[in-house]
Amino acid sequence: MSYFANIPEIKYEGPESKNPFAFKYYDPERIVCGKPLKEQLPFAMAWWHNLGAAGTDMFGRDTADKSFGCEKGTMEHAKAKVDAGFEFMKKLGIRYFCFHDVDLVPEADDIKETNRRLDELSDYILEKMKGTDIKCLWGTANMFSNPRFMNGAGSSNSADVFCFAAAQVKKALDITVKLGGRGYVFWGGREGYETLLNTDVKFEQENIAKLMHLAVDYGRSIGFTGDFYIEPKPKEPMKHQYDFDAATAIGFLRQYGLDKDFKMNIEANHATLAGHTFQHDLRISAINGMLGSIDANQGDMLLGWDTDEFPFNVYDATMCMYEVLKAGGLTGGFNFDSKTRRPSYTFEDMFHAYILGMDTFALGMIKAGELIEDGRIDKFVEDRYASYKTGIGAKIRAGEVTLKELAAYADEMGAPALPGSGRQEYLESVVNNVLFH
Ligand code: XUL
Ligand code: CO
């Protein structure tokens, strides 16, 4: 059974190609910074958007048909999604997928039945994986959709809800390990608050950390050697979410002794919702040794919510890849946590969307490699801090001076000269020059 029979295998044809079903920039074999793009760019398909989301929004119902010929909410449909998903990934040369527990199977009233379904479906996926190089990038538990999680999961005021969340995390970890997952994600969708009037923030944060510690202990006990990730997001659905941005999440992990097992999964549109650029949250993660994985998408700066669009902005993709290359690559990958726009409701659109996303990130990586090779930006930054290489600057860096000595130095010196120009406009022109030469 083929779901996408009219769509060919997507091949690299180069920038001159006008074939809508070909890559223009993503040449898997092209070497960038010493490695082929297929290794530099472990792309992943998001099960929920690609095989699940059908266009429903706050004002209207589905526009796309993602029944794959079956009745939705059945195990037959869940298996048809596996078949469609694998056909889709194979046609695009995508080697990873990411899932929530309830993306894979319909949730039953009784968790024992949901878990039985997860066992059955993950067996089915394992069968499908045979003879392919497709694997799980990361798994997660959906602890935000069901009404029981209205006040959070780890942060819920209800100990019973906490237990239910723990049960879901345990099973999602089992399935992640079974499917060869590189990572396990905590996205604290409802770990936050609507009002401080009813919220004990310290208590809630301690409980979230407890749940994470329990997950680490269990994960390691069943042989999970990958990274756990926090995926920061400042708001939506909650008014305030505790994992506000990378800096906040890293502080939380350190405070509760979780920083050895966790890294960041940075999503572009979440960073911009926090008032940062995508590059900012990547940089903050990287300098703290915590850049793990990326949820690849982009937001719409004219809208105040998470639009999860496929990446199209080459500047942002270039600066993203600049951070990734500087950090020595990702231990995770690039998961397209992105969805086609509601009026793009056909199967062809799903392919166009992934071609766009993969080409944008490939182009970004090629250009970031050229920026690094060009060297003008790195050299500028290096020179900008040159006053710390010798003399008093070197002593400050080495921790060899007291405040008193610095004050005495300043007395001798008089007023310092202005620091060198920031040259922002020049550096921006260098970026354009590398992008468009
Ligand atoms: C929501 C979001 C999630 C996480 C996984 O904004 O990004 O899909 O990636 O739960
Ligand atoms: Co995400």
Side-chain angles (χ1 to χ4, degrees), residues 46 48-49 98-100 103 138-144 185-189 231-233 235-237 241 265 267 269-270 273 295 297 306 308 335 337:
W48 54 103
H49 283 315
C98 298
F99 70 87
H100 300 79
D103 306 330
W138 53 254
T140 189
N142 178 327
M143 305 191 295
F144 44 87
V185 161
F186 279 88
W187 170 59
E231 183 179 322
K233 187 177 184 185
K235 57 186 169 191
E236 197 208 10
Q241 280 158 212
N265 180 38
E267 177 162 329
N269 204 167
H270 295 181
L273 280 177
D295 266 14
N297 63 17
D306 193 12
D308 286 345
N335 166 47
D337 195 352

Side-chain angles (χ1 to χ4, degrees), residues 38-57:
K38 66 175 182 227
E39 276 177 42
Q40 295 274 28
L41 296 168
F43 288 127
M45 177 190 76
W47 211 268
W48 54 103
H49 283 315
N50 205 46
L51 305 171
T56 290
D57 70 9

Side-chain angles (χ1 to χ4, degrees), residues 97 99 104 122 125-126 129 135-136 175-181:
F97 59 87
F99 70 87
L104 297 182
S122 50
I125 295 180
L126 267 188
M129 280 165 57
K135 281 205 246 346
C136 169
I175 304 295
T176 302
V177 170
K178 181 169 169 182
L179 300 178

